[in-house]
Amino acid sequence: MALLRCLLLLSALALSLGSAAAEGSRRLPSLEALGEAEELAEELWGAGLPGDLPELEPECRQLLADFAEGSAALTGCLGRSARPVRLCQACHRHYRHLLAQYGNIARAVGNSSESHNCAKSILTSDRLQIVVTLSDFFNETWEAANCANCLKNNSEGLSNSTVEFLDLFNKSLTCFEHNLQGQTIHLSVNNYTEVCKNCNETYKMLNDLYNNLQRTNRQGGESGHSAHLCIDVEDAMNITRKLWSRTFNCSVPCSDTVPVIAVSSFILFLPIVFYLSSFLHSKQKKRILILRK
C-alpha cells in the first residue's frame, strides 16, 4: 500500500512538472508544487484503485486472514517444540486447525460466482502461490515427523500407547533426577551407581515398551500407519539411552546369559565330538609288511 502511494505521488509530481514545463518554467519544483502534487496523489488514492488491481472480497479476505493466523500459530508451536522434540504432542491441534482453514479456502473451487471464488483468487492467482507453498511445507514437515503414528486415527489426540510411553519416560527422568540429587559431592563425577541400581527396572520397562511399539508399528498399530515411530517417541528414547549408556555408564544385564553360554559351548564342542566319534567308529587299516623272498 505504501509503495502504491509513492507511485501515485510521483505520478502527480510528474503531472505538476509537466504543466510547469508547458508554461515555460525551468525552475526546480517549489514547495507549493510539491504540496499540489501530494494533494493530487491523495485525490487519486481516495478515488479508489484502478480496475486492473482488484482487492479480495470481504469473505475471501477473512479466509486468508484466518489461514495467516493459523500458519503463525503452527510455526510458533513448531519452533518452541523443536528441542527437545515435542512437535506431535504439542502442535497437533494447531495442525488440524490449519488443515480445516485451508480446506475452507480450497472448497470454494466449485463456486460459480466469480466475485466469491476465493480459491482461485488466493491459491492460483500468481506464480508464487504462497498459501499453497505454506500448506505444502506444513504437510511435508508433519509427514517427515511421522506424527500420525503418535495420534489416534482421527488425529484428535495422542494414542493410548504413546501416552503410556511418555508417562514411563517421565518416570525414568524423574528417577534419574531423584537419584542424582542423592549423590554426595565426594563421589567421582562418573560414579552413578545409585542411578544404575535404583532406575534399572524403570529403564528396562521403557526400553521393552519402545521395542514393542516398534514391532507393532511395523505391522500397523493404532494409527493405521506402517512406518517409523513418531519423532517425539524416537527422540525421547534416544535421550534416555544416551543418558543411561554414555552419561551414567550403566548397562542392562542380559536375562538370557545362561542359555547363550550353553548354546555357545555346545557349538564349540561339536567339532571335537565329531572327530572323536569318527575315530572310534571307523575301521583302522592295519599295515601289512611284505617280506622279500
Side-chain angles (χ1 to χ4, degrees):
M1 294 298 182
L3 178 60
L4 189 54
R5 281 178 175 271
C6 293
L7 292 176
L8 292 175
L9 180 58
L10 291 175
S11 300
L13 182 58
L15 290 175
S16 177
L17 291 176
S19 60
E23 296 175 0
S25 174
R26 297 180 179 274
R27 297 176 300 165
L28 293 174
S30 61
L31 293 177
E32 295 180 358
L34 291 176
E36 293 177 359
E38 186 173 1
E39 291 178 1
L40 182 56
E42 291 294 337
E43 291 178 2
L44 291 173
W45 179 260
L49 294 173
D52 58 344
L53 291 175
E55 286 200 10
L56 291 173
E57 295 291 335
E59 63 181 64
C60 299
R61 192 182 303 115
Q62 183 61 44
L63 288 175
L64 183 59
D66 292 341
F67 181 83
E69 291 178 1
S71 300
L74 181 55
T75 301
C77 182
L78 293 176
R80 291 188 298 271
S81 306
R83 283 314 305 169
V85 181
R86 299 292 184 269
L87 303 183
C88 305
Q89 52 188 304
C91 306
H92 65 91
R93 292 184 180 87
H94 294 292
Y95 178 72
R96 187 157 46 91
H97 188 55
L98 188 68
L99 287 181
Q101 292 171 332
Y102 185 83
N104 292 336
I105 297 175
R107 271 195 295 269
V109 172
N111 199 322
S112 58
S113 175
E114 288 293 335
S115 60
H116 293 83
N117 195 348
C118 300
K120 182 178 179 181
S121 302
I122 297 176
L123 302 180
T124 60
S125 61
D126 57 81
R127 177 179 61 84
L128 187 58
Q129 300 180 3
I130 187 64
V131 174
V132 178
T133 302
L134 285 174
S135 178
D136 291 342
F137 166 75
F138 289 126
N139 289 333
E140 291 172 0
T141 302
W142 201 254
E143 291 176 4
N146 292 308
C147 287
N149 292 314
C150 277
L151 307 175
K152 298 177 181 178
N153 288 332
N154 52 9
S155 298
E156 290 183 354
L158 297 176
S159 62
N160 296 331
S161 58
T162 304
V163 172
E164 181 184 1
F165 176 85
L166 294 177
D167 180 63
L168 198 54
F169 168 70
N170 291 330
K171 288 181 180 179
S172 300
L173 294 185
T174 302
C175 182
F176 294 163
E177 183 179 1
H178 176 74
N179 285 276
L180 283 175
Q181 292 175 352
Q183 297 278 354
T184 61
I185 59 176
H186 302 290
L187 293 177
S188 173
V189 178
N190 296 324
N191 187 3
Y192 300 104
T193 308
E194 293 297 321
V195 177
C196 299
K197 181 176 66 175
N198 297 332
C199 302
N200 177 68
E201 188 64 26
T202 307
Y203 174 78
K204 187 176 182 300
M205 292 173 58
L206 180 68
N207 192 63
D208 292 342
L209 177 59
Y210 180 80
N211 293 333
N212 290 334
L213 289 177
Q214 280 188 318
R215 287 191 295 268
T216 304
N217 196 65
R218 294 191 188 102
Q219 302 171 358
E222 297 177 47
S223 63
H225 294 77
S226 180
H228 294 286
L229 294 175
C230 72
I231 189 63
D232 292 25
V233 173
E234 289 183 345
D235 185 71
M237 195 66 230
N238 287 337
I239 290 175
T240 311
R241 284 176 173 173
K242 287 180 180 178
L243 288 173
W244 185 260
S245 302
R246 299 182 182 179
T247 304
F248 304 143
N249 198 25
C250 301
S251 60
V252 178
C254 183
S255 58
D256 299 330
T257 303
V258 175
V260 169
I261 295 176
V263 172
S264 301
S265 302
F266 175 75
I267 294 175
L268 288 175
F269 279 99
L270 273 180
I272 301 176
V273 174
F274 173 76
Y275 286 111
L276 183 61
S277 61
S278 299
F279 176 79
L280 294 177
H281 292 83
S282 61
K283 294 182 178 180
Q284 301 294 325
K285 291 185 178 181
K286 297 181 179 180
R287 291 183 179 182
I288 301 176
L289 181 61
I290 302 175
L291 298 176
R292 291 182 62 186
K293 295 180 180 181

